[in-house]
Amino acid sequence: MSDSGATAALPDPAAVSLAIADLDRLISTLRDDGRVVIGPTTRDSVMTLDEIAGAGQLPRGWLDEQSPGKYRATPSETATAFAHGPPSMSWKRFLHEERTLVISTSRTNGAMVIDPAPAAPEKPLAFFGIQACDLAAIGVLDVALADDAAYRRRRDDLLVVAASCTDSVATCFCVSAGTGPRPGPLADIVLTELADGSLIADARTERGAAVLTRAGLDTAATEADCRSAAALVDAAAARQTRHLDTEAIARAAAAPDDVGWDAVAERCLTCGNCTMVCPTCFCTSISDQTRLDDGCAERWQIWASCFSLDFAYVHGGSVRTSPTSRYRQWYLHKLVTWHDQFDSSGCVGCGRCITWCPTGIDITEAITS
Ligand code: SF4
Ligand code: SF4
């Protein structure tokens, strides 16, 4: 087993071959282990993520087109289940939920009692078919949310079956971000799909190998199939046309006041879509809610966006009142100050913020024109 698939040209020599039907055995094995299996699926003609019970729920035969401000998924004749772009939502919501109860208060004999939120018993998760950019995003969240107990609990139990990308949509730029299209070292198993829907499975950890063994998947992959798989992933990388302009980012880091932020910000609706779909945006705020019927109250941690006025509210008002100041904050945090704070970029090149921005603002071009 290799530790890293990020640079390997071929799957590991010990890789095994899977027929399409074998995916059900793999998913069943994970479920028999008591795991909730999360994978890509289609809902209302959009690729999304949800719990899956079998391979029939994967988006086999679906392809998607993504471009600035545009998304379209359509059924096709393809035999593949993983040749799609990043699903509409990111995997972070299963590790870092939109709403988390922090504490609640109740009344006992007229006295207020503060109850810490009970740690709900949860089944361990398996991420099935996560792509390289989103896997890298988990590595980013691992640092940013290292002290978040709920995140750590789910993350520590997580088993990852990643999928190499054998196609790229127009908004992908994982190559330039250095995160894909081959899944990096956080995967337990890496699947690479061939054009006929059959797959190569490459165990990257002991527990990944144990899952394949328990599923009875031990047919050695042929060298020809491994070469075909590697060629498909290389072709997906070669199809990417977007890239991060590192020189423009360096100029913005050195002289942020010289950037023409107004030009991009005048198109920004400050809707926050980009932060909600981003696999690495992790900010939250606190909301207190009181029930009028029994006087009990709850304190919730909820996702927040740096594009909202409230996010930058300090005593006396918001410190970022203009869209320009909020766009600038988001961009510079993602691509510049994240390095100082967490020793990495905050962008993994998934392109979701480009696709789901209603005005098609493109992070790879925002400050280059
Ligand atoms: S900033 Fe945009 S491209 Fe980068 S990780 Fe977030 S959503 Fe993906
Ligand atoms: S950049 Fe686009 S998605 Fe993000 S807040 Fe502005 S309009 Fe919304």
Side-chain angles (χ1 to χ4, degrees):
M1 286 171 288
S2 60
D3 286 336
S4 169
T7 56
L10 293 174
D12 191 278
V16 297
S17 179
L18 272 61
I20 291 176
D22 290 334
L23 288 177
D24 270 325
R25 287 162 67 184
L26 192 49
I27 293 169
S28 293
T29 301
L30 296 168
R31 287 168 60 84
D32 290 348
D33 287 347
R35 294 184 179 277
V36 174
V37 181
I38 308 294
T41 191
T42 48
R43 191 187 310 139
D44 300 329
S45 296
V46 173
M47 306 248 190
T48 185
L49 299 169
D50 209 342
E51 180 176 356
I52 56 171
Q57 290 169 266
L58 295 170
R60 186 171 308 286
W62 283 78
L63 292 176
D64 56 350
E65 295 169 41
Q66 302 191 36
S67 58
K70 295 196 179 118
Y71 178 91
R72 180 182 162 94
T74 46
S76 76
E77 297 298 312
T78 179
T80 53
F82 298 112
H84 52 79
S88 55
M89 71 168 69
S90 82
W91 304 73
K92 78 177 175 191
R93 70 184 292 252
F94 299 101
L95 298 173
H96 177 54
E97 292 182 311
E98 292 105 316
R99 287 169 56 83
T100 305
L101 182 63
V102 181
I103 55 168
S104 60
T105 65
S106 57
R107 288 197 181 277
T108 303
N109 298 326
M112 187 176 79
V113 178
I114 296 177
D115 307 309
E122 294 175 12
K123 289 183 171 182
L125 299 172
F127 284 176
F128 196 88
I130 184 171
Q131 294 157 315
C133 56
D134 284 339
L135 187 57
I138 292 178
V140 173
L141 291 180
D142 283 349
V143 180
L145 297 176
D147 297 326
D148 183 310
Y151 175 87
R152 280 272 37 118
R153 196 170 58 244
R154 295 184 189 114
R155 175 68 180 96
D156 289 346
D157 289 341
L158 177 68
L159 188 135
V160 175
V161 181
S164 304
C165 288
T166 54
D167 204 353
S168 294
V169 292
T171 45
C172 291
F173 60 100
C174 66
V175 174
S176 141
T179 60
R182 289 186 168 81
L186 297 181
D188 293 292
I189 298 170
V190 173
L191 302 176
T192 308
E193 199 173 35
L194 301 172
D196 64 359
S198 63
L199 305 102
I200 309 286
D202 185 4
R204 296 276 175 80
T205 63
E206 296 294 340
R207 65 178 187 162
V211 168
L212 291 177
T213 300
R214 282 203 302 285
L217 300 170
D218 56 7
T219 304
T222 65
E223 186 177 334
D225 280 351
C226 290
R227 288 194 181 283
S228 297
L232 286 167
V233 182
D234 288 342
R239 272 194 286 279
Q240 292 188 11
T241 55
R242 281 187 159 72
H243 68 278
L244 283 172
D245 185 338
T246 49
E247 289 182 8
I249 295 167
R251 281 197 302 276
D257 292 339
D258 293 346
V259 175
W261 299 109
D262 287 337
V264 59
E266 69 183 12
R267 296 168 53 207
C268 177
L269 309 176
T270 66
C271 64
N273 269 14
C274 47
T275 52
M276 294 298 113
V277 296
C278 179
T280 66
C281 279
F282 61 87
C283 288
T284 54
S285 66
I286 292 294
S287 171
D288 289 339
Q289 298 167 5
T290 306
R291 293 200 296 262
L292 295 179
D293 52 350
D294 58 6
C296 294
E298 292 174 338
R299 171 163 291 179
W300 289 85
Q301 174 185 280
I302 55 177
W303 284 3
S305 170
C306 53
F307 281 94
S308 80
L309 263 181
D310 288 351
F311 185 83
Y313 189 94
V314 292
H315 177 70
S318 176
V319 295
R320 293 189 207 107
T321 53
S322 67
T324 299
S325 62
R326 279 173 262 158
Y327 189 86
R328 168 182 159 146
Q329 154 66 24
W330 178 74
Y331 184 97
L332 289 177
H333 187 217
K334 277 279 158 210
L335 298 174
V336 178
T337 53
W338 205 292
H339 286 276
D340 305 328
Q341 194 176 4
F342 301 120
D343 209 19
S344 76
S345 171
C347 176
V348 294
C350 72
R352 284 186 181 87
C353 58
I354 306 171
T355 299
W356 297 102
C357 174
T359 63
I361 293 174
D362 182 344
I363 190 173
T364 67
E365 297 176 349
I367 64 166
T368 56
S369 50

